[in-house]
Amino acid sequence: MTTVKAPPHPAESAFQAANQSVAQSTAMALADATDNLRNLNTLSTTAIGTAFSQLLETGDPKYLNIIDQAQKVVTNGAENFGVVGEKVATVLNDHA
């Protein structure tokens, strides 16, 4: 004869549902941060390419500042991604 398992206790079921919700929310936050970093890299790469092209064409050093600023956008975006990743890891570890 097969043993039938009792349904989970309501508190246990609620706890599992909350953990799934936290996991899904943190995964979405990390996915959003990834999209943000990708978009910043695309925009910055385009700006750098355009500014470099203008620098080569005109020799005007003002384009070096644009290149520098676009590189800082990438650096700041990567730092933000790192912060989000650390926060996600903290939340997941706290709820494990």
Side-chain angles (χ1 to χ4, degrees), residues 39-64:
N39 292 338
L40 289 175
N41 282 334
T42 299
L43 291 170
S44 296
T45 300
T46 302
I48 289 169
T50 302
F52 189 64
S53 173
Q54 290 297 310
L55 175 65
L56 292 175
E57 185 177 323
T58 67
D60 191 337
K62 72 179 179 184
Y63 294 107
L64 293 173

Side-chain angles (χ1 to χ4, degrees), residues 2 4 11 15-16 18-19 23 30 35 38 41 48 52 55 59 66 70 73-74 82 84 88 91-92 96:
T2 312
V4 176
F15 179 76
Q16 290 173 350
N19 276 342
L30 192 55
D35 289 342
R38 184 180 304 111
N41 282 334
I48 289 169
F52 189 64
L55 175 65
I66 295 169
V73 167
V74 172
V84 171
V88 165
V91 168
L92 292 176

Side-chain angles (χ1 to χ4, degrees), residues 59-81:
D60 191 337
K62 72 179 179 184
Y63 294 107
L64 293 173
N65 183 44
I66 295 169
I67 292 169
D68 184 51
Q69 293 302 314
Q71 289 171 331
K72 287 179 182 177
V73 167
V74 172
T75 300
N76 290 341
E79 289 172 2
N80 180 60
F81 181 79

